[in-house]
Amino acid sequence: MNRHRVLFTGSMLTPADIEWMQQNNLDVKICAGDLSESELARELAGQDAYILAGVERASASALSAADELKVVAFLGVGYHAFIDIETATAAGIAVTNAPGANARAVAEFTIGLTLNAWRQVTYLAQQTKAGRWQEVMGRNLEEKTFGIVGMGTIGSMVARTAALGLGMRVVYTNRTPKPELERDIAARRVDLSELVANSDVISLHVAYGPETDGMLGEAELAAVKPGAILINTSEAELVDAAALRTALVEGRLVAAAMDGYYIEPVPAVSADPYGLLALGDDQLLVTPHTANATQESFRAMLTANIESIRNILEMGDDPRIVNPRFRDHALWLRASDRI
Protein backbone atom coordinates (compact mmCIF):
# COMPACT_ATOMS: atom_id res chain seq x y z
CA MET A 1 0.00 0.00 0.00
CA ASN A 2 1.34 3.44 -0.93
CA ARG A 3 1.99 5.77 1.97
CA HIS A 4 -0.11 8.94 2.19
CA ARG A 5 1.67 12.28 2.05
CA VAL A 6 0.32 14.64 4.71
CA LEU A 7 1.11 18.26 5.55
CA PHE A 8 0.59 19.26 9.20
CA THR A 9 0.57 22.93 10.18
CA GLY A 10 0.83 23.84 13.84
CA SER A 11 3.31 23.28 16.65
CA MET A 12 1.63 20.63 18.79
CA LEU A 13 3.03 17.36 17.43
CA THR A 14 5.42 15.42 19.64
CA PRO A 15 7.94 12.84 18.39
CA ALA A 16 5.57 10.15 19.67
CA ASP A 17 2.71 11.65 17.64
CA ILE A 18 4.86 11.65 14.50
CA GLU A 19 5.89 8.03 15.02
CA TRP A 20 2.25 7.06 15.57
CA MET A 21 1.22 8.81 12.35
CA GLN A 22 3.96 7.02 10.46
CA GLN A 23 2.64 3.73 11.82
CA ASN A 24 -0.71 4.72 10.32
CA ASN A 25 0.76 4.85 6.82
CA LEU A 26 1.25 8.62 6.79
CA ASP A 27 4.40 10.42 5.69
CA VAL A 28 4.14 13.68 7.62
CA LYS A 29 5.63 17.02 6.70
CA ILE A 30 5.43 19.54 9.55
CA CYS A 31 5.30 23.32 9.21
CA ALA A 32 5.22 24.76 12.72
CA GLY A 33 5.32 28.45 11.78
CA ASP A 34 2.38 30.57 10.66
CA LEU A 35 2.29 30.25 6.88
CA SER A 36 1.23 32.99 4.52
CA GLU A 37 -1.20 32.16 1.71
CA SER A 38 1.61 31.76 -0.81
CA GLU A 39 3.74 29.71 1.59
CA LEU A 40 0.82 27.37 2.29
CA ALA A 41 0.18 26.94 -1.43
CA ARG A 42 3.81 25.97 -1.91
CA GLU A 43 3.81 23.51 0.99
CA LEU A 44 0.59 21.83 -0.22
CA ALA A 45 2.19 20.91 -3.54
CA GLY A 46 2.46 17.14 -3.84
CA GLN A 47 0.48 16.42 -0.67
CA ASP A 48 -2.42 13.97 -0.52
CA ALA A 49 -3.89 15.43 2.66
CA TYR A 50 -3.58 18.42 4.94
CA ILE A 51 -4.19 18.57 8.70
CA LEU A 52 -4.93 22.19 9.54
CA ALA A 53 -3.93 22.66 13.18
CA GLY A 54 -2.48 26.18 13.01
CA VAL A 55 -3.88 29.59 12.10
CA GLU A 56 -3.40 29.22 8.35
CA ARG A 57 -6.23 29.83 5.91
CA ALA A 58 -6.90 27.17 3.30
CA SER A 59 -7.99 29.92 0.93
CA ALA A 60 -9.16 29.66 -2.65
CA SER A 61 -5.70 30.61 -3.88
CA ALA A 62 -3.89 28.08 -1.68
CA LEU A 63 -6.28 25.23 -2.52
CA SER A 64 -6.33 25.97 -6.23
CA ALA A 65 -2.57 25.46 -6.36
CA ALA A 66 -2.75 22.06 -4.63
CA ASP A 67 -3.19 19.81 -7.66
CA GLU A 68 -2.83 16.51 -5.77
CA LEU A 69 -4.64 17.43 -2.55
CA LYS A 70 -7.62 15.20 -1.75
CA VAL A 71 -8.41 15.84 1.94
CA VAL A 72 -8.28 18.79 4.32
CA ALA A 73 -8.79 17.65 7.92
CA PHE A 74 -9.47 20.42 10.42
CA LEU A 75 -8.10 19.80 13.93
CA GLY A 76 -11.24 20.95 15.72
CA VAL A 77 -14.85 21.72 14.92
CA GLY A 78 -15.27 25.34 13.75
CA TYR A 79 -13.58 25.15 10.34
CA HIS A 80 -15.63 27.86 8.60
CA ALA A 81 -13.20 30.73 9.07
CA PHE A 82 -10.19 28.64 8.06
CA ILE A 83 -11.23 26.74 4.94
CA ASP A 84 -12.79 27.94 1.69
CA ILE A 85 -15.39 25.19 1.46
CA GLU A 86 -16.73 26.18 -1.97
CA THR A 87 -13.28 26.06 -3.53
CA ALA A 88 -12.46 22.74 -1.83
CA THR A 89 -15.72 21.21 -3.05
CA ALA A 90 -15.25 22.44 -6.60
CA ALA A 91 -11.71 21.04 -6.57
CA GLY A 92 -12.90 17.62 -5.40
CA ILE A 93 -11.26 17.99 -2.00
CA ALA A 94 -13.00 16.41 0.99
CA VAL A 95 -13.10 18.52 4.14
CA THR A 96 -13.48 16.92 7.57
CA ASN A 97 -13.46 18.08 11.17
CA ALA A 98 -13.46 16.36 14.55
CA PRO A 99 -16.88 16.80 16.17
CA GLY A 100 -17.14 15.74 19.79
CA ALA A 101 -13.42 15.11 20.24
CA ASN A 102 -12.87 18.32 22.17
CA ALA A 103 -16.25 18.56 23.93
CA ARG A 104 -14.99 18.03 27.47
CA ALA A 105 -12.14 20.49 27.03
CA VAL A 106 -14.40 23.21 25.63
CA ALA A 107 -17.05 22.66 28.30
CA GLU A 108 -14.50 22.98 31.10
CA PHE A 109 -12.99 26.08 29.50
CA THR A 110 -16.46 27.61 29.20
CA ILE A 111 -17.00 27.23 32.94
CA GLY A 112 -13.55 28.72 33.54
CA LEU A 113 -14.34 31.78 31.42
CA THR A 114 -17.67 32.12 33.20
CA LEU A 115 -16.07 32.23 36.64
CA ASN A 116 -13.35 34.56 35.41
CA ALA A 117 -15.73 37.05 33.80
CA TRP A 118 -18.32 36.87 36.57
CA ARG A 119 -15.79 37.65 39.31
CA GLN A 120 -13.32 39.66 37.14
CA VAL A 121 -10.45 37.43 38.21
CA THR A 122 -7.98 38.39 35.46
CA TYR A 123 -8.68 42.10 35.84
CA LEU A 124 -8.34 42.06 39.62
CA ALA A 125 -5.11 40.04 39.46
CA GLN A 126 -3.59 42.58 37.06
CA GLN A 127 -4.73 45.49 39.23
CA THR A 128 -3.30 43.88 42.36
CA LYS A 129 0.12 43.28 40.77
CA ALA A 130 0.12 46.90 39.65
CA GLY A 131 -0.25 48.00 43.28
CA ARG A 132 -3.94 48.85 43.12
CA TRP A 133 -5.63 47.00 46.00
CA GLN A 134 -9.30 47.13 45.10
CA GLU A 135 -12.17 45.96 47.23
CA VAL A 136 -14.76 44.59 44.85
CA MET A 137 -18.10 43.17 45.91
CA GLY A 138 -18.88 40.19 43.66
CA ARG A 139 -21.95 38.02 43.26
CA ASN A 140 -22.49 34.30 43.73
CA LEU A 141 -23.53 32.20 40.75
CA GLU A 142 -25.69 29.91 42.88
CA GLU A 143 -29.40 30.29 42.04
CA LYS A 144 -28.59 32.52 39.07
CA THR A 145 -29.79 31.54 35.58
CA PHE A 146 -27.41 30.02 33.03
CA GLY A 147 -28.73 30.38 29.47
CA ILE A 148 -27.29 28.02 26.87
CA VAL A 149 -27.75 28.65 23.17
CA GLY A 150 -27.29 25.27 21.50
CA MET A 151 -27.71 22.17 23.64
CA GLY A 152 -25.44 19.72 21.83
CA THR A 153 -22.69 17.67 23.43
CA ILE A 154 -20.74 20.68 24.73
CA GLY A 155 -23.82 22.62 25.80
CA SER A 156 -25.12 19.61 27.70
CA MET A 157 -21.83 19.21 29.58
CA VAL A 158 -21.84 22.90 30.47
CA ALA A 159 -25.48 22.66 31.59
CA ARG A 160 -24.81 19.77 33.94
CA THR A 161 -21.79 21.49 35.46
CA ALA A 162 -23.67 24.75 35.95
CA ALA A 163 -26.66 23.00 37.54
CA LEU A 164 -25.00 20.27 39.58
CA GLY A 165 -21.69 21.96 40.34
CA LEU A 166 -22.71 25.60 40.77
CA GLY A 167 -26.35 25.30 41.79
CA MET A 168 -27.64 27.35 38.86
CA ARG A 169 -30.94 27.23 37.01
CA VAL A 170 -30.55 26.27 33.35
CA VAL A 171 -32.58 27.51 30.39
CA TYR A 172 -31.71 26.69 26.80
CA THR A 173 -32.58 27.14 23.17
CA ASN A 174 -32.21 24.25 20.75
CA ARG A 175 -33.89 22.97 17.60
CA THR A 176 -35.10 19.93 19.49
CA PRO A 177 -35.98 19.42 23.16
CA LYS A 178 -33.68 17.52 25.50
CA PRO A 179 -36.09 15.59 27.75
CA GLU A 180 -33.37 13.65 29.58
CA LEU A 181 -31.56 16.85 30.50
CA GLU A 182 -34.81 18.52 31.49
CA ARG A 183 -35.54 15.60 33.78
CA ASP A 184 -32.06 15.34 35.28
CA ILE A 185 -31.34 19.00 36.03
CA ALA A 186 -34.74 20.69 35.56
CA ALA A 187 -33.48 22.52 32.47
CA ARG A 188 -36.16 24.51 30.68
CA ARG A 189 -36.37 25.05 26.91
CA VAL A 190 -37.23 28.63 25.89
CA ASP A 191 -36.95 30.82 22.81
CA LEU A 192 -33.95 33.11 22.29
CA SER A 193 -35.74 36.29 23.32
CA GLU A 194 -36.77 34.81 26.66
CA LEU A 195 -33.31 33.38 27.22
CA VAL A 196 -31.46 36.70 26.75
CA ALA A 197 -34.01 38.56 28.86
CA ASN A 198 -33.75 36.21 31.85
CA SER A 199 -30.21 34.77 31.87
CA ASP A 200 -27.42 35.98 34.12
CA VAL A 201 -24.95 34.04 31.96
CA ILE A 202 -25.48 33.59 28.22
CA SER A 203 -23.24 30.91 26.69
CA LEU A 204 -23.07 30.15 22.97
CA HIS A 205 -22.65 26.58 21.71
CA VAL A 206 -24.10 26.54 18.20
CA ALA A 207 -22.35 25.93 14.91
CA TYR A 208 -21.60 28.94 12.74
CA GLY A 209 -23.39 29.23 9.42
CA PRO A 210 -25.74 31.47 7.43
CA GLU A 211 -28.58 30.88 9.90
CA THR A 212 -26.52 31.74 12.97
CA ASP A 213 -24.34 34.55 11.58
CA GLY A 214 -24.88 37.54 13.90
CA MET A 215 -27.64 35.73 15.77
CA LEU A 216 -26.98 38.00 18.73
CA GLY A 217 -27.37 41.44 17.26
CA GLU A 218 -28.45 44.88 18.40
CA ALA A 219 -32.00 43.84 19.33
CA GLU A 220 -30.93 40.77 21.30
CA LEU A 221 -28.13 42.52 23.19
CA ALA A 222 -30.38 45.49 23.98
CA ALA A 223 -32.74 43.08 25.74
CA VAL A 224 -30.24 41.29 27.99
CA LYS A 225 -30.88 41.08 31.71
CA PRO A 226 -29.08 43.83 33.65
CA GLY A 227 -25.83 42.48 35.07
CA ALA A 228 -25.55 39.62 32.58
CA ILE A 229 -22.33 38.30 31.04
CA LEU A 230 -21.82 36.70 27.62
CA ILE A 231 -19.54 33.70 27.03
CA ASN A 232 -18.65 32.64 23.48
CA THR A 233 -16.46 29.56 22.99
CA SER A 234 -17.96 28.91 19.54
CA GLU A 235 -17.38 31.41 16.72
CA ALA A 236 -16.97 35.16 17.13
CA GLU A 237 -19.29 35.83 14.20
CA LEU A 238 -22.27 34.50 16.12
CA VAL A 239 -22.31 37.92 17.79
CA ASP A 240 -22.50 41.20 15.90
CA ALA A 241 -19.28 43.00 16.81
CA ALA A 242 -20.68 46.55 16.79
CA ALA A 243 -23.65 45.51 18.91
CA LEU A 244 -21.34 43.73 21.36
CA ARG A 245 -19.16 46.80 21.80
CA THR A 246 -22.18 49.04 22.34
CA ALA A 247 -23.65 46.66 24.93
CA LEU A 248 -20.37 46.56 26.85
CA VAL A 249 -19.64 50.28 26.67
CA GLU A 250 -23.16 51.19 27.75
CA GLY A 251 -23.09 48.58 30.53
CA ARG A 252 -26.01 46.52 29.26
CA LEU A 253 -23.60 43.58 29.40
CA VAL A 254 -21.37 43.68 32.46
CA ALA A 255 -18.70 41.59 30.75
CA ALA A 256 -18.04 39.22 27.87
CA ALA A 257 -15.48 36.50 27.24
CA MET A 258 -14.69 34.94 23.90
CA ASP A 259 -12.30 32.24 22.79
CA GLY A 260 -11.14 33.51 19.43
CA TYR A 261 -11.79 36.81 17.69
CA TYR A 262 -13.21 38.27 14.49
CA ILE A 263 -9.64 38.53 13.18
CA GLU A 264 -7.10 35.82 14.00
CA PRO A 265 -4.41 36.33 15.11
CA VAL A 266 -5.76 39.52 16.65
CA PRO A 267 -4.44 42.83 15.30
CA ALA A 268 -2.84 45.55 17.37
CA VAL A 269 -5.34 47.41 19.52
CA SER A 270 -4.92 50.51 17.36
CA ALA A 271 -5.66 48.49 14.20
CA ASP A 272 -8.74 46.69 15.52
CA PRO A 273 -11.63 47.76 13.25
CA TYR A 274 -14.19 46.66 15.84
CA GLY A 275 -12.79 48.67 18.75
CA LEU A 276 -13.29 45.77 21.14
CA LEU A 277 -9.68 45.02 22.00
CA ALA A 278 -9.30 48.48 23.56
CA LEU A 279 -11.80 47.54 26.27
CA GLY A 280 -10.38 46.56 29.64
CA ASP A 281 -10.20 43.00 30.92
CA ASP A 282 -12.99 43.83 33.33
CA GLN A 283 -15.26 44.20 30.29
CA LEU A 284 -13.84 41.83 27.67
CA LEU A 285 -11.65 38.74 27.91
CA VAL A 286 -10.25 37.28 24.68
CA THR A 287 -8.32 34.01 24.53
CA PRO A 288 -6.50 32.64 21.46
CA HIS A 289 -8.95 29.98 20.23
CA THR A 290 -7.61 27.59 22.82
CA ALA A 291 -10.68 26.16 24.54
CA ASN A 292 -10.12 22.80 22.87
CA ALA A 293 -6.39 22.67 23.57
CA THR A 294 -5.79 19.94 26.12
CA GLN A 295 -3.54 16.91 25.78
CA GLU A 296 -6.55 14.63 25.81
CA SER A 297 -8.59 16.54 23.27
CA PHE A 298 -5.60 17.01 20.96
CA ARG A 299 -5.03 13.27 20.81
CA ALA A 300 -8.74 12.66 20.20
CA MET A 301 -8.89 15.26 17.42
CA LEU A 302 -5.69 13.99 15.81
CA THR A 303 -7.07 10.45 15.93
CA ALA A 304 -10.25 11.62 14.20
CA ASN A 305 -8.24 13.44 11.51
CA ILE A 306 -6.02 10.44 10.83
CA GLU A 307 -9.01 8.11 10.63
CA SER A 308 -10.74 10.49 8.22
CA ILE A 309 -7.72 10.78 5.96
CA ARG A 310 -7.21 7.03 5.78
CA ASN A 311 -10.91 6.31 5.31
CA ILE A 312 -11.25 8.77 2.44
CA LEU A 313 -8.01 7.91 0.66
CA GLU A 314 -8.40 4.15 1.08
CA MET A 315 -12.18 3.65 1.03
CA GLY A 316 -13.60 6.86 -0.41
CA ASP A 317 -15.82 7.81 2.54
CA ASP A 318 -15.85 9.01 6.15
CA PRO A 319 -18.68 10.06 8.50
CA ARG A 320 -16.93 13.35 9.33
CA ILE A 321 -17.01 14.78 5.80
CA VAL A 322 -18.65 18.22 5.91
CA ASN A 323 -18.87 18.81 2.13
CA PRO A 324 -20.28 15.61 0.61
CA ARG A 325 -20.75 17.35 -2.75
CA PHE A 326 -16.98 17.17 -3.24
CA ARG A 327 -17.71 13.77 -4.83
CA ASP A 328 -19.20 15.49 -7.87
CA HIS A 329 -15.75 16.83 -8.72
CA ALA A 330 -13.38 14.24 -7.22
CA LEU A 331 -12.06 12.55 -10.35
CA TRP A 332 -9.45 10.80 -8.20
CA LEU A 333 -12.21 8.73 -6.57
CA ARG A 334 -13.27 5.43 -8.05
CA ALA A 335 -16.43 5.79 -10.09
CA SER A 336 -18.36 3.68 -7.56
CA ASP A 337 -17.31 6.02 -4.74
CA ARG A 338 -18.50 9.15 -6.57
CA ILE A 339 -22.13 8.09 -6.38
Side-chain angles (χ1 to χ4, degrees), residues 94-113:
V95 177
T96 73
N97 63 352
N102 60 11
R104 173 57 62 184
V106 176
E108 291 179 0
F109 198 82
T110 298
I111 295 297
L113 286 181

Side-chain angles (χ1 to χ4, degrees), residues 8-82:
F8 182 99
T9 57
S11 58
M12 295 176 283
L13 285 182
T14 66
D17 293 326
I18 297 170
E19 181 180 358
W20 176 55
M21 294 173 75
Q22 290 173 340
Q23 292 170 355
N24 275 274
N25 203 39
L26 306 181
D27 283 335
V28 187
K29 181 177 183 180
I30 302 169
C31 290
D34 299 342
L35 301 181
S36 67
E37 185 177 63
S38 60
E39 289 171 335
L40 178 59
R42 184 167 61 250
E43 295 296 343
L44 285 173
Q47 301 295 328
D48 298 306
Y50 169 32
I51 297 178
L52 201 170
V55 298
E56 289 74 23
R57 299 297 189 274
S59 64
S61 176
L63 292 175
S64 298
D67 293 339
E68 298 182 54
L69 190 67
K70 303 170 184 68
V71 185
V72 175
F74 183 72
L75 194 84
V77 179
Y79 58 88
H80 305 85
F82 295 86

Side-chain angles (χ1 to χ4, degrees), residues 2 8 42 46 64 68 83 105 121 146 149 155 159 168 174 197 213 234 317-318 327:
N2 293 330
F8 182 99
R42 184 167 61 250
S64 298
E68 298 182 54
I83 304 170
V121 177
F146 202 114
V149 182
M168 300 182 72
N174 202 59
D213 182 38
S234 295
D317 197 14
D318 183 77
R327 300 177 185 285

